[in-house]
Amino acid sequence: MNRLQLLGLTVAAALLVTGNAHAAGDKAAGRKLVYTCNGCHGVPGYENAYPRYPVPKIAGQNEQYIVNALHGYKSGDRTHPTMVAQAQSLSDKDIEDIAAYLSSLTK
């Protein structure tokens, strides 16, 4: 086996391990926290005022994606002013709970 194949196997194994990791949130608690999310993400066809783009639906989204996105907004790595403000008000547990609830919904 050459180095490139070995590297590929190592990366694939790492992705499998991290891909199986998921948030351990409480869906019931998350359901109580998403009321502000629904103001934008729960409105069919809603567009953000500036910059203008459709607001993504988050119901049924991958749990770990939601966790990563909210942490990104909270840390400032993602830069949407409304989302930054919302995420900064959430604890890590809140984020896990929200992700658990939203990911349990059907798209």
Side-chain angles (χ1 to χ4, degrees):
M1 186 176 289
N2 67 36
R3 286 184 186 185
L4 186 56
Q5 289 172 324
L6 186 58
L7 176 62
L9 284 174
T10 303
V11 169
L15 287 173
L16 285 174
V17 169
T18 58
N20 289 334
H22 60 84
D26 177 350
K27 293 177 191 175
R31 183 176 185 203
K32 294 176 185 174
L33 294 168
V34 298
Y35 63 93
T36 58
C37 306
N38 286 332
C40 296
H41 294 282
V43 180
Y46 184 74
E47 288 191 354
N48 192 46
Y50 180 82
R52 193 173 181 109
Y53 61 88
V55 175
K57 292 182 181 178
I58 54 177
Q61 182 59 268
N62 178 278
E63 186 172 8
Q64 193 59 50
Y65 176 83
I66 295 170
V67 169
N68 292 345
L70 288 173
H71 280 297
Y73 287 118
K74 188 173 181 174
S75 70
D77 290 339
R78 288 182 170 219
T79 57
H80 185 278
T82 302
M83 287 303 304
V84 168
Q86 289 294 322
Q88 286 177 346
S89 71
L90 301 171
S91 69
D92 290 346
K93 178 72 171 122
D94 291 342
I95 289 172
E96 289 180 1
D97 294 346
I98 288 169
Y101 174 69
L102 289 173
S103 67
S104 74
L105 302 174
T106 57
K107 289 185 178 185

